[in-house]
Amino acid sequence: MDYQRINEYLTSIFNNVLVIEEVSLRGSRFKDISIKEMHTIDVIGKVPDVTPSQVSKELMVTLGTVTTSLNNLERKGYIERIRSEHDRRVVHLHLTKKGRLVHRLHKRFHKAMVEKSSMV
């Protein structure tokens, strides 16, 4: 298989997953968050006591981009920022009850998508 064909397949799969995720979010009770915000929630849900810098590295975006997303997610009630007791300059991110719920549903969505694709 040549490079061009593999690249086309990967690009197509990636774009299709994003569209499916977007449609799924828009049809749910969590239509107030974007795909980028959902991916931010996903990182926060996977990594205990994650910091904004770690989220930035994981998502491969700037700290400014993450900060904007975190501000929106905090305002919407999905995350909370908690200052470290050991070093007050450090902020740890945690999901709220609402954030944990959407994180679990998103994981379930991905699991179902993988299971369906393995049937093809």
Side-chain angles (χ1 to χ4, degrees):
M1 202 177 264
D2 64 287
Y3 168 83
Q4 185 63 32
R5 188 183 286 167
I6 293 171
N7 185 53
E8 287 172 10
Y9 286 150
L10 291 175
T11 302
S12 176
I13 290 167
F14 177 77
N15 289 333
N16 285 336
V17 167
L18 285 180
V19 168
I20 291 166
E21 282 183 320
E22 186 75 41
V23 168
S24 177
L25 267 178
R26 293 296 148 245
S28 77
R29 68 187 227 203
F30 302 105
K31 54 181 149 257
D32 63 332
I33 57 175
S34 69
I35 288 299
K36 287 180 183 180
E37 291 170 337
M38 186 64 247
H39 291 154
T40 302
I41 288 170
D42 195 44
V43 172
I44 297 168
K46 285 180 189 172
V47 183
D49 287 331
V50 69
T51 65
S53 295
Q54 291 169 315
V55 173
S56 171
K57 285 178 189 168
E58 179 74 22
L59 295 176
M60 293 184 285
V61 297
T62 66
L63 186 56
T65 298
V66 168
T67 300
T68 300
S69 188
L70 294 175
N71 289 341
N72 289 333
L73 289 169
E74 189 173 39
R75 181 178 43 79
K76 295 173 186 178
Y78 289 95
I79 66 143
E80 59 184 348
R81 291 173 166 113
I82 299 175
R83 289 226 173 260
S84 169
E85 293 181 14
H86 304 292
D87 184 345
R88 302 296 292 160
R89 296 170 296 175
V90 177
V91 173
H92 295 284
L93 305 170
H94 299 272
L95 297 178
T96 61
K97 184 176 180 181
K98 185 177 176 183
R100 288 189 302 274
L101 175 60
V102 73
H103 181 251
R104 277 195 312 273
L105 292 173
H106 187 68
K107 282 187 352 186
R108 201 175 300 155
F109 167 82
H110 273 271
K111 185 175 187 228
M113 191 170 50
V114 169
E115 288 172 353
K116 285 180 184 176
S117 68
S118 66
M119 293 180 196
V120 177

